[in-house]
Amino acid sequence: MSALASIRAAPGLDAYMDLLEERLEQAVAARRGLLSEIGIETLAAGGKRLRPLLVFLAAPRAQRNSELAVAAGAAVELVHMATLVHDDLLDAADIRRGSPTAWAAYGADAAKAAGDYLFACAFTQIARTGDPRAVALLADAALALARGEALQRGQAFRPDTSVEDYLARCSLKTGKLFEAACLLGAGSRRLGAFGLALGIAFQIADDILDCTGDHEATGKAGGVDLKDGTPTLPLIFAARRDPVVWRALAGDDVPDALERVQSSGALDDARELAHVFAAQARAALDGEPDRASLEALTHAVVEREA
């Protein structure tokens, strides 16, 4: 059985995902108008629903279909959707998941407002649980996202960005929301550490995929990070080895830069570090009741092709 198949076989997951999709549809359609329409289109574009899956797997089995678990899953997914809408706007990305982005279809002002709307929908969901701890966890993750975005903008076109600074950005932009999903499900500190490490591994894998340029697999254009001067781990490694890539990451127009990244060995080295963080995530699972599914997820995240 593959890693993903073993996760999908988790008891109660299908029922939870059905409840989640229903809740997401209700949340984005709650206020009629253009922003709701954009939210519905963003939701219809699909996604891995990885963050809600973490809520589900982290929760005790008797509580996996509880109101808190469903609301928390919807909230973390809505926050994630909001960041995608805003990221596409900032990156001027035309395509995501094979469909036009909100920015490409409706313009910058509408995309910015739609992202804000999705953030508001997320906090509406979590606030309705009446759980102040859950609200605080999501708020902390949202603050980390904003800090991570600011850090990324400050690192733009800086090929001298250190690996440590890159990892700090991954922790803020991706890891903290994974951590929040796990804590919303269970509250276990070990599972919080699991989520944080898994999120960093996921982001490294995502940055590797951007360098492969495989539009059919990822559903979005490749080479966006290099074009935007975003110093991801594979680009940092490649820039240290190839002065042409260094110039491209600094903003120079170098037509074959992405091919040079791919031939530099940087992708393999970046994947090796992703495996290190996946192993750190697994090390945090001692004593967890559903270790098998969570451990399988660490392999699926690093080995994915989309």
Side-chain angles (χ1 to χ4, degrees), residues 9-228:
L13 179 57
D14 288 343
Y16 175 79
M17 286 300 178
D18 287 343
L19 290 171
L20 174 75
E21 293 300 328
E22 183 178 350
R23 183 64 61 89
L24 288 169
E25 291 171 10
Q26 291 172 352
V28 298
R31 300 287 185 271
R32 297 190 176 218
L34 177 61
L35 301 185
S36 177
E37 290 177 19
I38 296 174
I40 291 169
E41 289 181 12
T42 303
L43 181 61
K48 302 175 186 67
R49 306 292 190 255
L50 180 56
R51 292 148 191 85
L53 176 61
L54 283 172
V55 175
F56 174 84
L57 293 176
R61 291 196 177 187
Q63 300 173 24
R64 284 179 167 176
N65 287 342
S66 67
E67 169 61 20
L68 177 58
V70 175
V76 293
E77 186 66 13
L78 287 163
V79 167
H80 174 57
M81 289 168 56
T83 64
L84 295 184
V85 171
H86 282 167
D87 282 350
D88 289 338
L89 169 60
L90 292 168
D91 297 338
D94 294 326
I95 299 293
R96 180 178 290 277
R97 296 169 182 159
S99 300
T101 61
W103 171 81
Y106 295 96
D109 290 343
K112 181 179 182 301
D116 294 344
Y117 173 76
L118 291 170
F119 271 117
C121 289
F123 278 93
T124 297
Q125 286 297 308
I126 206 69
R128 285 177 178 169
T129 67
D131 187 335
R133 172 184 167 275
V135 175
L137 282 170
L138 193 65
D140 182 63
L143 177 60
L145 285 165
R147 291 171 56 210
E149 184 60 41
L151 189 58
Q152 179 167 311
R153 297 298 143 184
Q155 293 172 354
F157 300 105
R158 292 286 305 273
D160 59 341
T161 299
S162 69
V163 172
E164 292 74 18
D165 286 344
Y166 163 81
L167 292 174
R169 190 178 85 222
C170 289
S171 175
L172 291 168
K173 283 203 69 177
T174 307
K176 292 296 287 184
L177 190 56
F178 276 55
E179 177 189 60
C182 290
L183 291 174
L184 286 165
S188 164
R189 288 186 179 181
R190 288 193 303 271
L191 281 182
F194 167 84
L196 186 62
L198 182 71
I200 294 172
F202 177 91
Q203 187 58 58
I204 295 172
D206 207 55
D207 293 339
I208 293 169
L209 287 171
D210 180 77
C211 291
T212 66
D214 189 348
H215 172 76
E216 291 298 323
T218 63
K220 57 185 178 180
V224 172
D225 292 330
L226 187 58
K227 180 191 68 151
D228 291 344

Side-chain angles (χ1 to χ4, degrees), residues 156-160 225-226 228-232 235-236 239 244-252:
F157 300 105
R158 292 286 305 273
D160 59 341
D225 292 330
L226 187 58
D228 291 344
T230 302
T232 62
L235 296 181
I236 291 169
V244 174
V245 176
W246 182 286
R247 289 195 295 106
L249 190 52
D252 287 357

